[in-house]
């Protein structure tokens, strides 16, 4: 379909808006930054990726509606509809290009964080309130985190004691939107359960914030081939918790060694 002058003008304006949205600094500018700054950069990139995903979905839905109009009316469809389709296609393509760029930056920042992880000290954990810092349960959680053979503090996760308001009573929960790990009261029934809960929920954070899309897909395929009855992300979190030395008090399954072995190279 030829891009009409009107459609080209609309598309150019849309592209200008999309480009203006891309205010995240290039990765080269973050190379000298410390882990805490990189975590903040990752937060910004992740928020931008989610926003772009929503915009792509909205623009695609509009394009589908316009295509439906043409399909129903054929040649009798107003010429303005064809111009709108051309403009909407340009918008969708531009949004997708921007999202691909952001996704690439996310993967690169994750790689930089992973490479520097062993150099990060215990002070990188997300800021807690004075009440949270003085809670004796925090010492228990910190002791468990210290035993995990991966610098999970680079994830910047905030520890919250209590049930997630949207989930209710549970051993634990991870909120990707706020990067918060909720630890329910029942998780403290035993040291083994607490160790598993902390490792499992941090595994969700690791998968969300440190893994590339390719590694995530590989990992999910591995666990799903062994157990297709449970959500892949929960199976993976149990397996990574196992790799990290969590006890046998798992909730979803006891991840077998034939699964942890091929997963290990994907989770440095």
């Amino acid at each position: 379909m030829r891009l009409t002058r009107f459609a080209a003008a609309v598309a150019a304006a849309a592209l200008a808006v999309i480009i203006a949205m891309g205010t995240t600094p290039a990765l080269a500018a973050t190379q000298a930054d410390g882990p805490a700054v990189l975590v903040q950069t990752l937060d910004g990139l992740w928020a931008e990726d989610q926003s772009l995903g929503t915009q792509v979905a909205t623009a695609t839905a509009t394009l589908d509606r316009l295509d439906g109009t043409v399909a129903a009316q054929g040649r009798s469809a107003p010429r303005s509809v064809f111009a709108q389709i051309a403009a909407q296609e340009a918008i969708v393509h531009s949004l997708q290009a921007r999202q691909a760029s952001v996704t690439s930056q996310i993967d690169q920042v994750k790689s930089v964080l992973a490479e520097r992880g062993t150099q990060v000290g215990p002070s990188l954990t997300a800021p807690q309130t004075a009440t949270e810092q003085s809670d004796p349960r925090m010492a228990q959680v910190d002791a468990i985190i210290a035993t995990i053979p991966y610098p999970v503090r680079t994830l910047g996760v905030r520890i919250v004691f209590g049930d997630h308001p949207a989930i209710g009573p549970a051993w634990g929960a991870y909120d990707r939107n706020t990067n918060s790990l909720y630890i329910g009261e029942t998780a403290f029934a035993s040291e083994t359960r607490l160790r598993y809960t902390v490792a499992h929920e941090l595994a969700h954070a690791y998968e969300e914030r440190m893994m590339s899309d390719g590694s995530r897909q590989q990992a999910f395929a591995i666990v799903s081939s062994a157990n297709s009855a449970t959500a892949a992300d929960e199976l993976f979190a149990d397996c990574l918790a196992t790799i990290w030395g969590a006890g046998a008090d798992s909730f979803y399954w006891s991840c077998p060694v034939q699964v942890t072995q091929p997963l290990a190279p994907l989770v440095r």
Side-chain angles (χ1 to χ4, degrees):
M1 183 180 296
R2 186 171 63 87
L3 194 65
T4 66
R5 182 178 301 175
F6 166 77
V10 173
L15 180 59
V17 172
I18 294 165
I19 292 175
M21 289 170 48
T23 56
T24 305
L27 180 65
T30 70
Q31 292 288 357
D33 290 331
V37 175
L38 286 171
V39 168
Q40 292 176 349
T41 299
L42 191 59
D43 284 338
L45 286 167
W46 185 247
E48 186 175 0
D49 180 63
Q50 288 184 306
S51 175
L52 287 167
T54 300
Q55 292 177 68
V56 168
T58 300
T60 300
T62 301
L63 183 59
D64 290 343
R65 178 177 56 78
L66 292 169
D67 285 338
T69 298
V70 172
Q73 299 183 16
R75 292 174 179 251
S76 62
R79 293 185 63 183
S80 61
V81 173
F82 291 97
Q84 291 177 55
I85 288 175
Q88 203 64 31
E89 286 177 338
I91 291 172
V92 170
H93 292 159
S94 297
L95 285 168
Q96 290 174 332
R98 178 58 194 160
Q99 189 172 31
S101 174
V102 171
T103 299
S104 176
Q105 292 180 63
I106 288 173
D107 286 345
Q108 292 178 69
V109 174
K110 287 177 179 178
S111 296
V112 173
L113 275 171
E115 290 170 1
R116 300 182 183 182
T118 55
Q119 303 172 16
V120 177
S123 62
L124 188 61
T125 186
Q128 313 291 326
T129 65
T131 300
E132 291 167 338
Q133 288 177 333
S134 63
D135 193 313
R137 293 174 295 183
M138 189 63 73
Q140 288 181 264
V141 173
D142 275 339
I144 290 171
I145 289 176
T147 67
I148 294 177
Y150 178 84
V152 290
R153 296 183 194 278
T154 61
L155 301 173
V157 176
R158 177 170 186 160
I159 306 298
V160 180
F161 296 115
D163 298 320
H164 191 290
I167 296 176
W171 292 0
Y174 171 68
D175 190 326
R176 57 177 277 183
N177 295 314
T178 61
N179 194 29
S180 299
L181 190 167
Y182 287 77
I183 303 178
E185 197 61 41
T186 52
F188 291 88
S190 69
E191 177 67 21
T192 301
R193 179 179 296 182
L194 181 61
R195 182 176 299 277
Y196 159 77
T197 300
V198 171
H200 176 95
E201 301 308 339
L202 285 174
H204 279 310
Y206 175 91
E207 177 258 308
E208 186 76 32
R209 307 177 79 79
M210 298 300 288
M211 295 186 74
S212 67
D213 287 340
S215 294
R216 181 183 296 108
Q217 290 172 8
Q218 282 184 268
F220 283 9
I222 290 171
V223 297
S224 294
S225 66
N227 183 345
S228 59
T230 305
D233 61 332
E234 298 296 355
L235 294 174
F236 170 78
D238 267 4
C239 289
L240 184 50
T242 298
I243 292 172
W244 284 346
D249 196 8
S250 57
F251 186 84
Y252 293 95
W253 71 329
S254 295
C255 188
V257 65
Q258 59 264 35
V259 175
T260 58
Q261 284 182 341
L263 277 182
L266 302 175
V267 288
R268 293 180 294 172

